[in-house]
Amino acid sequence: MDSMRTDARRNYTQLLAAARAVFTEQGTDASLREVARQAGVGIGTLYRHFPTREALLEALLGEGFEALRAQAVELLDAPDPGEALAAWLRGFGVASTRYEGLPASVMEALQDPASRLHASCEGLRTAATELLARAQRSGRVRRDLTASELLATANAMAWAARQSTGAAELSDRYLSLLMEGLLTRPGAPTQDGRGGM
């Protein structure tokens, strides 16, 4: 019985390692048979652990999503709410460019409550909402922006960066430009007509 559990744990670990390698090289639409082959197991073993591609993605991404959520909680105490939001978005951008096709998977999961990835992605939306609201209350970020719009825009920029070499560097550049557009300037009118900061 213990040996069976040990084998199952080993297969699970090998499948995740293989999925990470295959998705990095070929994107999130890569063949699951190729994932199983690289893990050294049959396709049936893969489906016993991960009944769907989405279940595999959820297992693969869950740890990273949780790290982003935890980072957001820590940044809620940062002295500059605008910089805190920018720092979190950079981490989100890097995570979103890890695999080809990932930005689309994240957006689909955010919009589909029945999706297995939805709960993990919803944690990201909650984290983004809290950071954004704090930055907006401080007057550092325009008030007419929602967390969903922010994530959609950041995701789109991550997708655009992923189409070129140097995706991580481009993603950081695009997100910096995004933040420059979102930040209010001292004395400048905000969307509700009041002066910023």
Side-chain angles (χ1 to χ4, degrees):
M1 188 75 166
D2 286 342
S3 65
M4 287 179 66
R5 283 197 292 268
T6 300
D7 286 345
R9 281 195 299 271
R10 183 173 61 247
N11 288 342
Y12 182 89
T13 301
Q14 289 173 338
L15 282 164
L16 284 182
R20 193 171 290 113
V22 172
F23 288 172
T24 297
E25 183 181 337
Q26 302 176 26
T28 56
D29 288 331
S31 165
L32 294 185
R33 288 188 181 279
E34 178 61 17
V35 172
R37 187 190 70 75
Q38 287 204 23
V41 301
I43 190 67
T45 298
L46 183 149
Y47 282 124
R48 275 196 296 278
H49 286 283
F50 308 106
T52 64
R53 180 182 302 274
E54 197 173 61
L56 178 56
L57 271 174
E58 181 183 39
L60 196 59
L61 301 175
E63 190 174 294
F65 285 177
E66 174 56 26
L68 281 170
R69 190 201 63 76
Q71 182 195 21
V73 171
E74 290 179 11
L75 285 169
L76 286 173
D77 292 326
D80 186 323
E83 285 303 316
L85 180 62
W88 187 81
L89 280 175
R90 287 189 194 98
F92 175 78
V94 170
S96 294
T97 57
R98 193 160 291 138
Y99 309 116
E100 179 67 41
L102 183 54
S105 299
V106 170
M107 289 311 297
E108 287 172 11
L110 278 169
Q111 295 166 14
D112 180 10
S115 160
R116 288 190 57 145
L117 265 175
H118 182 78
S120 296
C121 291
E122 193 60 31
L124 290 184
R125 194 203 311 260
T126 299
T129 297
E130 293 170 352
L131 281 175
L132 176 61
R134 182 170 179 254
Q136 288 171 324
R137 285 194 301 271
S138 76
R140 291 283 281 132
V141 172
R142 55 188 294 165
R143 299 174 189 273
D144 63 336
L145 182 70
T146 68
S148 293
E149 290 169 340
L150 180 65
L151 288 178
T153 305
N155 233 349
M157 290 188 164
W159 177 88
R162 193 69 172 79
Q163 307 314 301
S164 305
T165 55
E169 293 80 7
L170 268 179
S171 178
D172 190 62
R173 168 69 175 156
Y174 292 166
L175 289 169
S176 293
L177 290 172
L178 170 62
M179 283 306 302
E180 285 179 22
L182 298 180
L183 293 175
T184 58
R185 302 289 181 265
T190 58
Q191 292 298 305
D192 59 6
R194 294 196 293 269
M197 293 183 64

